[in-house]
Amino acid sequence: ELKVEQNPLFLSMQEGKNYTIYCNYSTTSDRLYWYRQDPGKSLESLFVLLSNGAVKQEGRLMASLDTKARLSTLHITAAVHDLSATYFCAVGETSGSRLTFGEGTQLTVNP
Amino acid sequence: DGGITQSPKYLFRKEGQNVTLSCEQNLNHDAMYWYRQDPGQGLRLIYYSQIVNDFQKGDIAEGYSVSREKKESFPLTVTSAQKNPTAFYLCASSPPRTTFTTSNYGYTFGSGTRLTVV
């Protein structure tokens, strides 16, 4: 059974600081997704990572994947208040199309 | 524009009542999914369907039922057997995983239905 763990679950940071969210998963996968969710809203796709060593960047967010360690990171650079949201990683099973989600990281960026 | 439409946005259920949540997509996607999200938690898979007239249980299927009579539609019924149905429900769709690329995230999510027991 595929399990996905994120940490930290809660993150409060100051504007301008850097931080990293970690996503560990338990079994082999060929794709990993990062999503953003604002309160009461649906999911917004951020990144999909399909191979070992993959790195994607968009603005102040950068995601990477290490399939050997079964670890993905979402790095936040020089945080701004607009990045406050909950961030989820999701891992796809190799035998089908199911996604398993982590518990989410609730990020609050304070002025 | 292509996308997924969930309705209603808000739904109230009385004790012992069955309710049905609608999910329609015009993306020509083969697979469709239903997720449940409780406050402060991640998404848990209820049911999924990879092809018309076929569906599989997810991790928390008890108290729910689905049908997949058309490619575009995947309604979810919350039955009276589901004792704690208050949650946010998200529907998603995807093409076959063999077509996933870095430019195609693969999964499209609806805007959600918030169900409350009254």
Side-chain angles (χ1 to χ4, degrees), chain B residues 9-21 34-39 44 46 60-65 76-90 113-118:
Chain B
K9 188 171 182 178
Y10 299 96
L11 186 57
F12 298 91
R13 193 194 92 166
K14 296 180 181 178
E15 294 285 347
Q17 188 180 45
N18 292 355
V19 292
T20 298
L21 285 59
W34 275 106
Y35 288 91
R36 169 179 171 144
Q37 186 178 29
D38 292 284
R44 293 183 290 167
I46 306 171
I60 55 165
E62 185 174 351
Y64 300 96
S65 66
L76 174 74
T77 296
V78 184
T79 74
S80 57
Q82 172 50 245
K83 297 306 179 187
N84 185 22
T86 295
F88 187 51
Y89 291 85
L90 280 167
T113 293
R114 191 165 300 279
L115 174 61
T116 304
V117 174
V118 295

Side-chain angles (χ1 to χ4, degrees), chain B:
Chain B
D1 289 336
I4 292 188
T5 302
Q6 287 188 242
S7 63
K9 188 171 182 178
Y10 299 96
L11 186 57
F12 298 91
R13 193 194 92 166
K14 296 180 181 178
E15 294 285 347
Q17 188 180 45
N18 292 355
V19 292
T20 298
L21 285 59
S22 171
C23 179
E24 303 276 334
Q25 54 100 357
N26 59 4
L27 299 164
N28 200 32
H29 283 172
D30 292 307
M32 297 186 75
Y33 314 82
W34 275 106
Y35 288 91
R36 169 179 171 144
Q37 186 178 29
D38 292 284
Q41 298 188 29
L43 280 70
R44 293 183 290 167
L45 184 64
I46 306 171
Y47 269 98
Y48 64 108
S49 167
Q50 300 192 86
I51 195 169
V52 175
N53 292 323
D54 188 39
F55 49 83
Q56 291 79 40
K57 293 181 179 180
D59 301 318
I60 55 165
E62 185 174 351
Y64 300 96
S65 66
V66 293
S67 62
R68 186 83 187 279
E69 297 176 1
K70 299 187 300 180
K71 188 175 185 178
E72 300 81 15
S73 179
F74 191 40
L76 174 74
T77 296
V78 184
T79 74
S80 57
Q82 172 50 245
K83 297 306 179 187
N84 185 22
T86 295
F88 187 51
Y89 291 85
L90 280 167
C91 178
S93 70
S94 72
R97 61 182 293 274
T98 52
T99 67
F100 291 174
T101 67
T102 54
S103 62
N104 167 20
Y105 289 109
Y107 298 86
T108 301
F109 284 84
S111 57
T113 293
R114 191 165 300 279
L115 174 61
T116 304
V117 174
V118 295

Side-chain angles (χ1 to χ4, degrees), chain A residues 42-76:
Chain A
S42 185
L43 300 182
E44 174 189 352
S45 295
L46 295 175
F47 304 106
V48 57
L49 303 166
L50 299 178
S51 60
N52 187 43
V55 177
K56 292 289 189 69
Q57 183 165 4
E58 182 71 34
R60 301 174 187 274
L61 301 178
M62 183 175 71
S64 65
L65 178 63
D66 181 343
T67 58
K68 295 179 182 178
R70 296 177 187 162
L71 170 68
S72 179
T73 60
L74 181 66
H75 187 73
I76 303 157

